């Protein structure tokens, strides 16, 4: 499975290799995850999401890909798996 790690790093101006210390994995392992050649443990994905300061679901789908299920605020679903997502919108 390909994750959005590189895309998120690019959006935030972060170098992918800077995540190795925070996440606690080797650079080759990180690149294998980024390139979809390795499936990490959920614990590793959580650490990556925390290091990037994004909710876990954003490693799988961009906010633009997430569509509203209904007009009710906060009722969103993942376009990949259909799971309901909790989205917090912060104004900057």
């Amino acid at each position: 499975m390909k994750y959005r790690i590189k895309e998120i790093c690019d959006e935030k101006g972060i170098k992918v290799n800077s995540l190795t210390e925070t996440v606690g994995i080797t650079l080759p392992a990180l690149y294998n995850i980024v390139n979809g050649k390795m499936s990490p443990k959920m614990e590793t994905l959580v650490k990556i999401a925390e290091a990037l300061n994004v909710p876990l679901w954003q490693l799988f789908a961009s906010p633009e890909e997430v569509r509203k299920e209904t007009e009710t605020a906060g009722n969103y679903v993942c376009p990949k798996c259909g799971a309901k997502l909790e989205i917090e919108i912060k104004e900057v």
Side-chain angles (χ1 to χ4, degrees), residues 54-69:
V54 297
L56 183 62
W57 64 264
Q58 280 194 17
L59 297 182
F60 303 94
S62 70
E64 294 78 32
E65 290 177 298
V66 177
R67 62 178 168 77
K68 266 189 152 181
E69 186 177 82

Side-chain angles (χ1 to χ4, degrees), residues 17-66:
N17 60 1
S18 70
L19 298 175
T20 55
E21 283 188 40
T22 308
V23 177
I25 59 176
T26 65
L27 187 58
L30 180 60
Y31 279 123
N32 282 333
I33 294 167
V34 169
N35 294 318
K37 296 179 180 178
M38 183 173 122
S39 295
K41 294 179 180 179
M42 183 58 69
E43 163 187 330
T44 302
L45 289 174
V46 168
K47 287 179 182 178
I48 292 170
E50 288 173 353
L52 293 172
N53 197 28
V54 297
L56 183 62
W57 64 264
Q58 280 194 17
L59 297 182
F60 303 94
S62 70
E64 294 78 32
E65 290 177 298
V66 177

